[in-house]
Amino acid sequence: MEHSLVLVKPDGVQRGLVGEVISRLERRGLRLVGAKFLQVSQALAEEHYAVHKGKSFYPGLIAYIISAPVMAMVWEGPNAIVAIRQTMGATRPWEAAPGTIRHDFALEVGRNITHASDSPENGEKEAALWFKPEEMVSWSRDIDKWIFE
Ligand code: IDP
Ligand code: MG
């Protein structure tokens, strides 16, 4: 089962879209295993976005992610990485497919509502960066057999 770190970023929180994002992931069939609402520290922001260090948008990206609280979650499911990024839509909202979160709620790449891990390896890495093992819940749902083949 793959894991993905999902963030509702400061713009999504300020715009009241936490429930919308959670609702879409729930309806997709993904299973929530961890969640917390927090103000991101400079250190966590820099570690999370280390891969983008040196890029022109990096300073703005760090300022954006620490500017207000975020909703951080770990979701799991078969093919969770690809499925969740598909539900989020393309990074640049004007390239996101209709029906995706970034299409339906965003216009600018620097205000694109969500983060989702981009590979199974990064899903595990990011989940471990944001959550302690005891903050994640291993559970099964009664409807799992109707969603997981
Ligand atoms: P992703 O969030 O879809 O994985 P990445 O390429 O990993 O996209 O970029 C991380 C985040 O950095 C994006 O979600 C977006 O908020 C921001 N970002 C990426 N490219 C740009 C840009 O060209 N200008 C401003 N912000 C950007
Ligand atoms: Mg990324």
Side-chain angles (χ1 to χ4, degrees):
M1 201 88 86
E2 292 179 2
H3 292 91
S4 175
L5 176 81
V6 171
L7 303 177
V8 182
K9 299 199 281 198
D11 49 337
V13 170
Q14 293 287 335
R15 293 176 58 194
L17 295 172
V18 171
E20 177 74 31
V21 173
I22 290 175
S23 178
R24 287 180 180 222
L25 296 175
E26 281 185 315
R27 281 186 289 158
R28 188 86 197 256
L30 293 147
R31 197 162 61 187
L32 181 65
V33 294
K36 60 178 156 187
F37 185 66
L38 73 158
Q39 180 86 42
V40 179
S41 68
Q42 177 84 22
L44 176 58
E46 288 182 5
E47 193 162 356
H48 176 71
Y49 280 128
V51 67
H52 295 302
K53 194 165 184 165
K55 295 182 187 169
S56 60
F57 61 84
Y58 176 78
L61 177 58
I62 298 298
Y64 163 47
I65 205 73
I66 67 171
S67 64
V70 305
M71 185 70 187
M73 298 172 276
V74 177
W75 289 83
E76 69 180 358
N79 308 307
I81 294 295
V82 169
I84 293 174
R85 286 184 68 88
Q86 185 184 50
T87 290
M88 299 314 177
T91 303
R92 296 170 185 78
W94 62 91
E95 293 172 353
T100 62
I101 290 168
R102 284 163 168 174
H103 171 279
D104 291 354
F105 298 105
L107 292 169
E108 298 243 67
V109 64
R111 296 290 183 272
N112 61 358
I113 313 285
T114 57
H115 166 84
S117 307
D118 64 5
S119 68
E121 298 69 39
N122 284 338
E124 301 304 329
K125 213 170 102 182
E126 292 177 358
L129 175 63
W130 287 73
F131 287 83
K132 297 181 189 128
E134 63 268 27
E135 291 175 327
M136 294 205 276
V137 182
S138 179
W139 64 299
S140 60
R141 294 172 300 195
D142 292 348
I143 58 155
D144 278 343
K145 66 175 179 178
W146 302 110
I147 299 170
F148 302 155
E149 193 176 334

